[in-house]
Amino acid sequence: MQVAVNISSRQCKQTSQTPIKEVISKALTVNNIAPSCLKVEITESLLMDNSQEMINTLQEIRDLGVSIHMDDFGTGYSSLSYLKHFPIDVLKIDRSFIEGAIDDKTDASLVEAVVLIGHSLSLKLVGEGIETQQHYDYLRSLGCDYGQGYLISKPIIATELITLCQQVDNKPKWLAINE
């Protein structure tokens, strides 16, 4: 099982008492969690700092074996230079583009462009806000790697997730689109 945790720019700044790399490393060790099971989600606003310190911090987290996901891509101050300079593994395409992509050619073009750019940079793509079978089929046709949204699963509490994962016939692949 993999878990994603959102972190803020304040948590990434090295001025805090305990650097975020140490917090993550300790949490992985204490809880006996493989680093590949943790995904750190950041927003574009965190990248606006665009400092070498922020790049170094994210690289240190990545060096632990934790992947870096950029959440809500396209809604902030998107810059392709972020994709070049920052150690990012996954782009999460914001739901606002997904929900409009079926009926709006501009949204569809943007989603298609993000998928093409992401894959050309060897990034994985997550489509957010999948609420209909049409959304799911559309993203799958583009080669989007993963998806999340109410069609796949509504938010559930931890105990329900544990029960769901323990069911023998229910392999936890609800996030995978292209399997």
Side-chain angles (χ1 to χ4, degrees):
M1 174 168 298
Q2 300 175 356
V3 175
V5 176
N6 293 320
I7 60 170
S8 69
S9 59
R10 189 177 58 124
Q11 290 170 306
C12 279
K13 292 200 186 288
Q14 296 296 345
T15 56
S16 64
Q17 290 182 341
T18 306
I20 189 73
K21 174 194 172 200
E22 290 179 29
V23 171
I24 292 171
S25 181
K26 182 177 179 181
L28 292 171
T29 302
V30 166
N31 294 292
N32 196 27
I33 298 171
S36 61
C37 293
L38 178 62
K39 314 301 176 197
V40 168
E41 291 191 3
I42 60 173
T43 60
E44 292 177 48
S45 62
L46 183 142
L47 303 180
M48 288 185 61
D49 183 338
N50 205 10
S51 69
Q52 190 60 47
E53 176 188 13
M54 193 64 68
I55 293 170
N56 292 345
T57 298
L58 293 174
Q59 187 60 53
E60 289 172 353
I61 293 169
R62 198 177 192 206
D63 290 345
L64 291 172
V66 174
S67 67
I68 309 291
H69 295 211
M70 184 187 293
D71 199 11
D72 302 329
F73 184 73
T75 60
Y77 300 94
S78 299
S79 170
L80 296 179
S81 69
Y82 295 153
L83 303 180
K84 178 180 177 183
H85 296 294
F86 283 86
I88 298 167
D89 302 294
V90 176
L91 288 180
K92 295 180 74 177
I93 306 166
D94 189 70
R95 65 175 288 118
S96 63
F97 298 113
I98 305 301
E99 68 186 351
I102 302 302
D103 300 318
D104 184 293
K105 288 184 181 182
T106 301
D107 281 346
S109 295
L110 289 169
V111 171
E112 292 167 21
V114 170
V115 170
L116 286 171
I117 290 168
H119 281 158
S120 71
L121 296 172
S122 300
L123 301 173
K124 296 289 184 182
L125 282 292
V126 176
E128 297 180 312
I130 298 175
E131 296 187 5
T132 67
Q133 189 64 44
Q134 265 187 309
H135 292 142
Y136 181 91
D137 294 340
Y138 171 69
L139 289 168
R140 187 173 186 162
S141 75
L142 294 179
C144 192
D145 301 291
Y146 301 98
Q148 69 182 62
Y150 282 6
L151 179 70
I152 298 166
S153 176
K154 292 189 177 180
I156 58 177
I157 60 173
T159 54
E160 291 176 14
L161 178 63
I162 292 167
T163 301
L164 182 67
C165 291
Q166 288 173 338
Q167 295 172 356
V168 177
D169 295 333
N170 198 358
K171 178 183 168 203
K173 66 175 191 176
W174 55 85
L175 292 179
I177 290 180
N178 288 317
E179 234 182 46

